[in-house]
Amino acid sequence: MQIAVNILILLDFCAMTTLHTKEELQTLLGPEKQNQKCIGFVPTMGALHQGHLTLVSRALKECDHVVVSIFVNPTQFNNAEDLAKYPRHLDHDLTLLSSLSKSILVFAPSAENIYGNQISARQYDFGALGQHMEGQHRPGHFDGVATVVSLLFDAVNPDRAYFGEKDYQQLRIVETLVQIEQRDTVIVPCSIARNSEGLALSSRNERLDDKQLKQALLLAGVLNEASKNFSTHSFQAIKNEAAAAFKKAPEFELEYFEIADVDSLVPTLTKDPEKKYRAFIAAQLGGVRLIDNLELN
Ligand code: PAF
Protein backbone atom coordinates (compact mmCIF):
# COMPACT_ATOMS: atom_id res chain seq x y z
CA MET A 1 0.00 0.00 0.00
CA GLN A 2 2.78 2.41 0.96
CA ILE A 3 4.45 1.64 -2.38
CA ALA A 4 1.36 2.77 -4.34
CA VAL A 5 1.09 5.99 -2.30
CA ASN A 6 4.76 6.73 -2.95
CA ILE A 7 4.27 6.06 -6.65
CA LEU A 8 1.46 8.64 -6.71
CA ILE A 9 3.60 11.23 -4.94
CA LEU A 10 6.44 10.52 -7.39
CA LEU A 11 4.09 10.80 -10.38
CA ASP A 12 3.20 14.36 -9.35
CA PHE A 13 6.74 15.39 -10.21
CA CYS A 14 7.01 13.47 -13.50
CA ALA A 15 5.30 13.61 -16.87
CA MET A 16 1.60 12.90 -16.77
CA THR A 17 0.66 9.28 -16.23
CA THR A 18 -1.39 7.31 -18.72
CA LEU A 19 -2.74 3.98 -17.55
CA HIS A 20 -4.24 1.43 -19.92
CA THR A 21 -5.82 -1.10 -17.57
CA LYS A 22 -8.30 -0.88 -14.73
CA GLU A 23 -6.02 -3.16 -12.70
CA GLU A 24 -3.16 -0.58 -12.87
CA LEU A 25 -5.62 2.18 -11.97
CA GLN A 26 -6.95 0.28 -8.97
CA THR A 27 -3.45 -0.48 -7.73
CA LEU A 28 -2.67 3.24 -7.70
CA LEU A 29 -5.99 4.56 -6.43
CA GLY A 30 -7.13 1.83 -4.05
CA PRO A 31 -4.85 2.93 -1.18
CA GLU A 32 -5.73 6.61 -1.77
CA LYS A 33 -9.40 5.76 -1.47
CA GLN A 34 -8.72 3.89 1.76
CA ASN A 35 -6.93 7.00 3.03
CA GLN A 36 -10.17 8.97 2.48
CA LYS A 37 -8.70 10.97 -0.41
CA CYS A 38 -11.30 12.43 -2.75
CA ILE A 39 -11.14 10.92 -6.24
CA GLY A 40 -12.58 13.10 -9.01
CA PHE A 41 -13.45 11.60 -12.38
CA VAL A 42 -14.06 13.14 -15.80
CA PRO A 43 -15.15 10.49 -18.31
CA THR A 44 -14.54 11.50 -21.94
CA MET A 45 -14.28 10.02 -25.39
CA GLY A 46 -11.21 12.15 -26.11
CA ALA A 47 -10.88 14.82 -28.83
CA LEU A 48 -10.74 17.16 -25.87
CA HIS A 49 -11.75 20.79 -26.09
CA GLN A 50 -12.13 23.71 -23.70
CA GLY A 51 -15.43 22.28 -22.44
CA HIS A 52 -13.68 19.14 -21.18
CA LEU A 53 -10.87 21.23 -19.72
CA THR A 54 -13.39 23.27 -17.72
CA LEU A 55 -14.68 20.04 -16.16
CA VAL A 56 -11.15 18.85 -15.42
CA SER A 57 -10.15 22.22 -13.90
CA ARG A 58 -13.16 22.09 -11.60
CA ALA A 59 -12.32 18.52 -10.60
CA LEU A 60 -8.71 19.57 -9.86
CA LYS A 61 -10.01 22.30 -7.52
CA GLU A 62 -12.45 20.01 -5.70
CA CYS A 63 -10.61 16.67 -5.45
CA ASP A 64 -7.31 15.22 -4.25
CA HIS A 65 -6.79 13.09 -7.37
CA VAL A 66 -8.33 13.49 -10.80
CA VAL A 67 -8.79 10.70 -13.34
CA VAL A 68 -9.70 11.55 -16.93
CA SER A 69 -10.78 8.58 -19.03
CA ILE A 70 -10.33 8.66 -22.78
CA PHE A 71 -12.32 5.86 -24.34
CA VAL A 72 -14.45 5.93 -27.49
CA ASN A 73 -17.20 3.66 -26.31
CA PRO A 74 -18.42 1.44 -29.18
CA THR A 75 -21.69 0.39 -27.51
CA GLN A 76 -23.17 3.92 -27.42
CA PHE A 77 -22.95 4.47 -31.19
CA ASN A 78 -25.99 3.36 -33.11
CA ASN A 79 -24.38 4.50 -36.35
CA ALA A 80 -21.22 2.72 -37.54
CA GLU A 81 -20.08 5.71 -39.60
CA ASP A 82 -20.40 8.05 -36.62
CA LEU A 83 -18.21 5.65 -34.57
CA ALA A 84 -15.63 5.30 -37.37
CA LYS A 85 -15.42 9.08 -37.90
CA TYR A 86 -15.36 10.02 -34.22
CA PRO A 87 -12.16 12.12 -33.83
CA ARG A 88 -9.29 10.39 -32.05
CA HIS A 89 -5.95 12.02 -31.19
CA LEU A 90 -4.63 10.83 -27.86
CA ASP A 91 -1.30 12.68 -28.08
CA HIS A 92 -2.99 16.04 -28.51
CA ASP A 93 -5.39 15.22 -25.66
CA LEU A 94 -2.45 14.42 -23.39
CA THR A 95 -0.75 17.71 -24.27
CA LEU A 96 -3.92 19.63 -23.41
CA LEU A 97 -4.33 17.82 -20.10
CA SER A 98 -0.70 18.22 -19.09
CA SER A 99 -1.07 21.98 -19.67
CA LEU A 100 -3.61 21.92 -16.80
CA SER A 101 -1.73 19.65 -14.41
CA LYS A 102 0.84 16.91 -14.60
CA SER A 103 -0.87 15.18 -11.69
CA ILE A 104 -3.89 14.12 -13.78
CA LEU A 105 -4.18 10.36 -14.17
CA VAL A 106 -5.26 9.53 -17.70
CA PHE A 107 -7.08 6.25 -18.12
CA ALA A 108 -7.08 5.11 -21.76
CA PRO A 109 -8.19 1.47 -21.72
CA SER A 110 -8.86 -0.91 -24.59
CA ALA A 111 -12.42 -2.09 -25.17
CA GLU A 112 -11.37 -5.56 -23.97
CA ASN A 113 -10.01 -4.21 -20.70
CA ILE A 114 -13.26 -2.38 -20.00
CA TYR A 115 -15.77 -4.93 -21.31
CA GLY A 116 -13.94 -8.26 -21.18
CA ASN A 117 -14.58 -10.44 -24.22
CA GLN A 118 -18.26 -9.48 -24.55
CA ILE A 119 -18.40 -5.94 -25.93
CA SER A 120 -22.11 -5.30 -25.54
CA ALA A 121 -24.45 -2.99 -23.67
CA ARG A 122 -26.57 -3.99 -20.69
CA GLN A 123 -30.30 -3.27 -20.83
CA TYR A 124 -31.48 -0.54 -18.44
CA ASP A 125 -34.92 0.85 -17.77
CA PHE A 126 -34.75 4.59 -17.24
CA GLY A 127 -38.47 5.01 -17.87
CA ALA A 128 -39.62 8.16 -19.67
CA LEU A 129 -36.23 9.81 -19.05
CA GLY A 130 -34.62 7.67 -21.74
CA GLN A 131 -37.51 7.44 -24.18
CA HIS A 132 -37.63 10.81 -25.92
CA MET A 133 -35.26 13.04 -27.87
CA GLU A 134 -31.85 11.27 -27.83
CA GLY A 135 -33.50 8.09 -26.55
CA GLN A 136 -35.92 8.08 -29.47
CA HIS A 137 -33.47 9.16 -32.17
CA ARG A 138 -30.51 7.02 -31.05
CA PRO A 139 -32.00 3.66 -30.04
CA GLY A 140 -29.76 1.84 -27.56
CA HIS A 141 -27.56 4.91 -27.02
CA PHE A 142 -28.34 5.35 -23.33
CA ASP A 143 -27.90 1.64 -22.62
CA GLY A 144 -24.40 1.97 -24.11
CA VAL A 145 -23.65 5.14 -22.14
CA ALA A 146 -24.97 3.71 -18.87
CA THR A 147 -23.06 0.45 -19.38
CA VAL A 148 -19.72 2.15 -19.95
CA VAL A 149 -20.26 4.70 -17.17
CA SER A 150 -21.06 1.86 -14.78
CA LEU A 151 -17.94 -0.08 -15.86
CA LEU A 152 -15.77 3.05 -15.63
CA PHE A 153 -17.19 3.85 -12.19
CA ASP A 154 -16.30 0.28 -11.13
CA ALA A 155 -12.73 0.89 -12.34
CA VAL A 156 -12.25 4.39 -10.88
CA ASN A 157 -14.57 4.27 -7.86
CA PRO A 158 -14.89 8.07 -7.91
CA ASP A 159 -16.23 10.27 -5.11
CA ARG A 160 -17.23 12.95 -7.61
CA ALA A 161 -17.85 12.63 -11.37
CA TYR A 162 -18.22 15.60 -13.69
CA PHE A 163 -20.68 15.70 -16.61
CA GLY A 164 -21.46 18.56 -18.98
CA GLU A 165 -24.99 19.88 -19.42
CA LYS A 166 -24.61 19.84 -23.20
CA ASP A 167 -25.60 16.17 -22.95
CA TYR A 168 -28.36 17.10 -20.53
CA GLN A 169 -30.38 13.91 -21.01
CA GLN A 170 -27.19 11.86 -20.51
CA LEU A 171 -26.51 13.76 -17.29
CA ARG A 172 -29.99 12.89 -15.98
CA ILE A 173 -29.57 9.27 -17.07
CA VAL A 174 -26.26 9.06 -15.18
CA GLU A 175 -27.84 10.58 -12.06
CA THR A 176 -30.53 7.90 -12.28
CA LEU A 177 -27.95 5.16 -12.92
CA VAL A 178 -26.15 6.11 -9.71
CA GLN A 179 -29.46 5.78 -7.83
CA ILE A 180 -30.34 2.44 -9.47
CA GLU A 181 -26.90 1.01 -8.68
CA GLN A 182 -26.85 2.62 -5.22
CA ARG A 183 -23.46 4.19 -5.73
CA ASP A 184 -22.26 7.01 -3.51
CA THR A 185 -20.57 8.93 -6.34
CA VAL A 186 -21.72 12.57 -6.45
CA ILE A 187 -22.63 13.62 -10.00
CA VAL A 188 -21.51 17.20 -10.61
CA PRO A 189 -23.36 18.96 -13.48
CA CYS A 190 -21.26 21.54 -15.34
CA SER A 191 -22.74 24.24 -17.55
CA ILE A 192 -22.29 24.21 -21.32
CA ALA A 193 -19.06 25.71 -22.64
CA ARG A 194 -19.57 27.85 -25.76
CA ASN A 195 -17.22 29.60 -28.14
CA SER A 196 -17.24 33.41 -28.32
CA GLU A 197 -20.08 33.28 -30.87
CA GLY A 198 -22.25 30.94 -28.79
CA LEU A 199 -21.61 27.58 -30.47
CA ALA A 200 -21.70 24.78 -27.89
CA LEU A 201 -18.26 23.15 -27.81
CA SER A 202 -18.27 19.56 -29.02
CA SER A 203 -15.68 17.08 -30.26
CA ARG A 204 -17.84 16.69 -33.37
CA ASN A 205 -17.28 20.37 -34.27
CA GLU A 206 -13.84 19.26 -35.48
CA ARG A 207 -15.56 17.67 -38.43
CA LEU A 208 -17.10 20.98 -39.55
CA ASP A 209 -15.32 23.32 -41.99
CA ASP A 210 -15.21 27.09 -41.41
CA LYS A 211 -18.44 27.71 -43.31
CA GLN A 212 -20.25 24.98 -41.40
CA LEU A 213 -18.95 26.31 -38.08
CA LYS A 214 -20.73 29.59 -38.87
CA GLN A 215 -23.86 27.75 -40.04
CA ALA A 216 -23.87 25.67 -36.84
CA LEU A 217 -24.59 28.86 -34.87
CA LEU A 218 -28.19 28.36 -35.95
CA LEU A 219 -28.69 25.87 -33.11
CA ALA A 220 -27.77 28.37 -30.38
CA GLY A 221 -29.64 31.11 -32.28
CA VAL A 222 -32.88 29.09 -32.31
CA LEU A 223 -32.49 28.22 -28.62
CA ASN A 224 -31.88 31.85 -27.67
CA GLU A 225 -34.95 32.90 -29.63
CA ALA A 226 -36.97 30.25 -27.77
CA SER A 227 -35.72 31.62 -24.46
CA LYS A 228 -36.58 35.19 -25.50
CA ASN A 229 -40.14 34.13 -26.38
CA PHE A 230 -40.64 31.79 -23.44
CA SER A 231 -42.81 34.11 -21.33
CA THR A 232 -44.88 35.54 -24.20
CA HIS A 233 -45.39 32.70 -26.72
CA SER A 234 -47.06 29.30 -26.51
CA PHE A 235 -44.76 26.27 -26.73
CA GLN A 236 -46.41 25.40 -30.05
CA ALA A 237 -45.57 28.87 -31.44
CA ILE A 238 -41.94 28.52 -30.25
CA LYS A 239 -41.69 25.08 -31.90
CA ASN A 240 -43.19 26.43 -35.14
CA GLU A 241 -40.62 29.24 -35.21
CA ALA A 242 -37.78 26.77 -34.66
CA ALA A 243 -39.05 24.56 -37.48
CA ALA A 244 -39.40 27.59 -39.78
CA ALA A 245 -35.81 28.70 -39.05
CA PHE A 246 -34.50 25.25 -40.04
CA LYS A 247 -36.69 25.18 -43.15
CA LYS A 248 -34.83 28.29 -44.31
CA ALA A 249 -31.49 26.47 -43.80
CA PRO A 250 -31.62 23.41 -46.10
CA GLU A 251 -28.02 22.47 -45.23
CA PHE A 252 -29.48 21.13 -41.96
CA GLU A 253 -31.59 18.09 -41.29
CA LEU A 254 -33.50 18.90 -38.10
CA GLU A 255 -34.01 15.75 -35.98
CA TYR A 256 -35.98 17.41 -33.22
CA PHE A 257 -36.66 20.64 -31.40
CA GLU A 258 -38.47 19.97 -28.13
CA ILE A 259 -39.35 21.74 -24.91
CA ALA A 260 -39.37 19.54 -21.82
CA ASP A 261 -39.52 20.10 -18.08
CA VAL A 262 -36.16 19.47 -16.50
CA ASP A 263 -37.43 16.71 -14.18
CA SER A 264 -39.27 14.34 -16.50
CA LEU A 265 -37.58 15.33 -19.80
CA VAL A 266 -40.86 14.47 -21.51
CA PRO A 267 -41.49 16.90 -24.40
CA THR A 268 -44.61 18.98 -23.88
CA LEU A 269 -46.71 21.75 -25.40
CA THR A 270 -48.24 22.72 -22.04
CA LYS A 271 -46.56 25.12 -19.65
CA ASP A 272 -46.91 24.51 -15.93
CA PRO A 273 -45.83 27.65 -13.97
CA GLU A 274 -44.47 25.41 -11.19
CA LYS A 275 -41.97 23.68 -13.49
CA LYS A 276 -38.64 24.60 -15.04
CA TYR A 277 -38.13 24.00 -18.75
CA ARG A 278 -35.32 23.57 -21.24
CA ALA A 279 -35.40 23.56 -25.02
CA PHE A 280 -33.51 20.74 -26.75
CA ILE A 281 -32.32 20.49 -30.31
CA ALA A 282 -30.57 17.92 -32.52
CA ALA A 283 -29.70 18.48 -36.16
CA GLN A 284 -27.37 17.05 -38.78
CA LEU A 285 -25.11 19.39 -40.70
CA GLY A 286 -23.11 17.82 -43.54
CA GLY A 287 -23.45 14.40 -41.90
CA VAL A 288 -22.28 15.68 -38.49
CA ARG A 289 -24.81 15.31 -35.69
CA LEU A 290 -25.02 18.34 -33.40
CA ILE A 291 -27.01 18.76 -30.18
CA ASP A 292 -27.57 21.70 -27.86
CA ASN A 293 -30.02 22.82 -25.17
CA LEU A 294 -30.84 25.88 -23.11
CA GLU A 295 -32.75 26.63 -19.94
CA LEU A 296 -35.85 28.70 -20.70
CA ASN A 297 -36.62 31.62 -18.41
O1 PAF B 1 -20.23 12.29 -22.91
C1 PAF B 1 -19.37 11.50 -23.32
O2 PAF B 1 -18.30 11.88 -23.80
C2 PAF B 1 -19.67 10.01 -23.24
O3 PAF B 1 -21.01 9.74 -23.48
C3 PAF B 1 -19.20 9.35 -21.93
C4 PAF B 1 -19.94 9.91 -20.73
C5 PAF B 1 -17.71 9.58 -21.76
C6 PAF B 1 -19.45 7.84 -21.97
O4 PAF B 1 -18.78 7.25 -23.04
Side-chain angles (χ1 to χ4, degrees), residues 43-45 52 71 73 76 86 145 148-149 152 163 167 170:
T44 82
M45 297 204 296
H52 295 112
F71 177 62
N73 171 36
Q76 72 187 75
Y86 201 85
V145 169
V148 80
V149 168
L152 289 167
F163 287 83
D167 296 290
Q170 165 177 284

Side-chain angles (χ1 to χ4, degrees), residues 8 11-17 60 64-67 97-98 100-106:
L8 267 180
L11 290 175
D12 273 1
F13 295 100
C14 304
M16 217 173 41
T17 309
L60 283 165
D64 297 307
H65 299 291
V66 173
V67 179
L97 290 173
S98 68
L100 286 185
S101 166
K102 302 249 184 308
S103 70
I104 295 166
L105 285 174
V106 177

Side-chain angles (χ1 to χ4, degrees), residues 2 20 33 43 54-55 74 80 84 98 118 121 152 166 174 200 215 219 224-225 291 294:
Q2 190 56 41
H20 296 284
K33 191 81 188 162
T54 310
L55 269 58
S98 68
Q118 185 94 36
L152 289 167
K166 184 165 113 13
V174 171
Q215 290 170 332
L219 275 80
N224 283 320
E225 196 61 20
I291 61 169
L294 189 68

